[in-house]
Amino acid sequence: MNSLFDPIKIGDIALANRIVMAPLTRNRAIEGHKPGPLTVEYYRQRATAGLIIAEASQISPMAQGYLDTPGIYSTEQVAAWREVTDAVHAEGGRIVLQLWHVGRISHTSLLPDGAAPVSSTSRRPEAMTFTRDGFVPVSEPRALRDDELPALIEDYRRAARNAIAAGFDGVEIHAANTYLIEQFLRDSINDRSGPYGGSIANRARLLLEVVQAVTEEIGAGRTGVRLSPMTTFGNTAPLDSDPQALHNYVVEQLAPFGLAFLHVIEGETGGTRSPEGKTFDYEALHRRFPGAWLVNNGYSLELAKQTIEDGKADLIAFGRPFISNPDLVRRLREAAPLNDLRADKLYGGGAEGYTDYPFLPA
């Protein structure tokens, strides 16, 4: 019987325990969309996690959707991320980078030359994003042409290569939370025809081609994928008409790649684990995937321990508890009280609410 605190090897990455720091957008990138010195310290403090999944980072200038989020497409960004990974590795930690394209959840003011966001569709969601002018409605998107998708896939390949050059132990492909890849997956959003629209197989094509490119570039043993079958993420998108069939197919197609892990958000991202009136068989996905199974969303210590001991997952991701508790692994091991989260300091700003949370006394 495994324990939450036992080591595990996932693909090519050896972890000291099964506690994962979930990717958490903090909007503190500095000029050039780079992580700065505060970000180096933020991740260094949390290096006792078995694995850190660093915050979502845009794969190209067109992939950005929020103010002051970091990228992984420039030489300067690679060098800045290297300071982060060196600090985490010096503390004995392991860290991967989440590769991000927001698709239609963006605004022209955030994109090169005021370009329209791109997506599987030209329909604008009822969603807001954060810009220099505060919260504003997202801009009307432009549907990507089929002949533009090879270049997009190459952006993912290049970003994965850059992540390894920056010292990351691997990457997580963000295919969740109604961002670009999920905008292709869901028939409630994807209204295109042709090879990337219509059937489940066609809607899954972009994700699978991205996975193929990334695993060719850095190896499947250093690649993970994140899915969120039941999330609407702030009601920016309705669910697929048949989320179970869609995700059963996706996981069946991902299984042969030999990925390091599959990261599944259970329920509504940042919300309830059991949305009212909605059911989903996550175990049906687990049965279809032979690699490390990482679960996420609202796990208490007791639920996390029981889930690992029962073999229902191999790793448990914690989000907000890691923000306010840099020593979360120790606190969980000792069943110690957790620091309160300062929710008003989550996004943007400086050290306050970022690197100034207290540790347990030595």
Side-chain angles (χ1 to χ4, degrees), residues 207-361:
L207 170 58
L208 299 175
E209 290 180 348
V210 167
V211 172
Q212 181 69 46
V214 169
T215 56
E216 285 174 355
E217 189 65 35
I218 68 169
R222 297 194 178 279
T223 304
V225 172
R226 191 188 213 201
L227 300 172
S228 57
M230 296 300 287
T231 192
T232 60
F233 198 48
N235 298 315
T236 59
L239 293 175
D240 186 80
S241 63
D242 193 343
Q244 191 75 56
L246 171 64
H247 288 86
N248 286 355
Y249 175 84
V250 165
V251 175
E252 287 169 359
Q253 298 305 304
L254 291 175
F257 281 99
L259 298 174
F261 63 92
L262 190 61
H263 182 180
V264 178
I265 299 169
E266 299 173 336
E268 183 70 59
T269 300
T272 178
R273 291 174 48 80
S274 302
E276 186 175 352
K278 300 175 183 176
T279 59
F280 190 87
D281 185 356
Y282 295 99
E283 186 54 34
L285 301 189
H286 191 185
R287 290 194 300 269
R288 288 168 162 82
F289 189 74
W293 191 252
L294 166 58
V295 295
N296 183 337
N297 203 10
Y299 272 82
S300 66
L301 172 59
E302 288 309 313
L303 180 58
K305 289 169 64 176
Q306 195 65 52
T307 298
I308 296 292
E309 290 170 6
D310 290 347
K312 294 181 178 179
D314 302 293
L315 306 128
I316 309 289
F318 295 86
R320 291 189 173 196
F322 256 119
I323 292 177
S324 53
N325 299 276
D327 56 350
L328 181 65
V329 173
R330 179 185 171 192
R331 290 175 187 263
L332 294 177
R333 190 187 298 273
E334 298 178 9
L338 302 184
N339 296 321
D340 292 331
L341 178 75
R342 283 170 274 168
D344 61 328
K345 304 298 181 183
L346 283 176
Y347 306 114
E352 190 176 359
Y354 192 50
T355 56
D356 65 343
Y357 282 103
F359 289 71
L360 287 172

Side-chain angles (χ1 to χ4, degrees), residues 45-56:
Q45 289 176 345
R46 290 156 179 80
T48 54
L51 179 67
I52 294 172
I53 305 176
E55 63 205 87

Side-chain angles (χ1 to χ4, degrees), residues 44-203:
R44 186 198 66 77
Q45 289 176 345
R46 290 156 179 80
T48 54
L51 179 67
I52 294 172
I53 305 176
E55 63 205 87
S57 299
Q58 50 260 17
I59 61 170
S60 71
M62 277 299 299
Q64 184 177 356
Y66 302 90
L67 186 67
D68 295 335
T69 54
I72 188 62
Y73 52 84
S74 75
T75 302
E76 294 77 17
Q77 291 162 356
V78 170
W81 277 118
R82 169 63 76 169
E83 295 187 30
V84 172
T85 61
D86 284 349
V88 169
H89 291 151
E91 298 291 332
R94 296 290 178 265
I95 182 169
V96 302
L97 183 66
Q98 189 181 65
L99 304 184
W100 196 25
H101 194 308
V102 300
R104 67 180 186 162
I105 309 299
S106 189
H107 189 268
T108 55
S109 67
L110 299 169
L111 300 176
D113 301 320
V118 295
S119 180
S120 62
T121 179
S122 60
R123 290 177 294 141
R124 185 177 66 85
E126 294 299 320
M128 306 286 282
T129 191
F130 191 68
T131 71
R132 295 286 177 201
D133 297 321
F135 282 99
V136 298
V138 299
S139 299
E140 183 176 331
R142 175 180 68 83
L144 284 159
R145 302 186 312 271
D146 290 346
D147 64 3
E148 294 179 286
L149 295 179
L152 172 68
I153 293 164
E154 287 305 303
D155 286 340
Y156 278 96
R157 183 194 297 273
R158 186 179 309 108
R161 182 168 64 243
N162 285 346
I164 298 303
F168 285 97
D169 297 290
V171 303
E172 176 179 272
I173 297 167
H174 198 350
N177 293 357
T178 75
Y179 293 123
L180 180 68
I181 291 178
E182 199 162 54
Q183 290 161 27
F184 274 81
L185 287 173
R186 292 188 180 188
D187 60 10
S188 58
I189 305 173
N190 185 339
D191 56 1
R192 58 199 297 127
S193 59
Y196 293 90
S199 68
I200 285 176
N202 283 357
R203 286 182 277 123

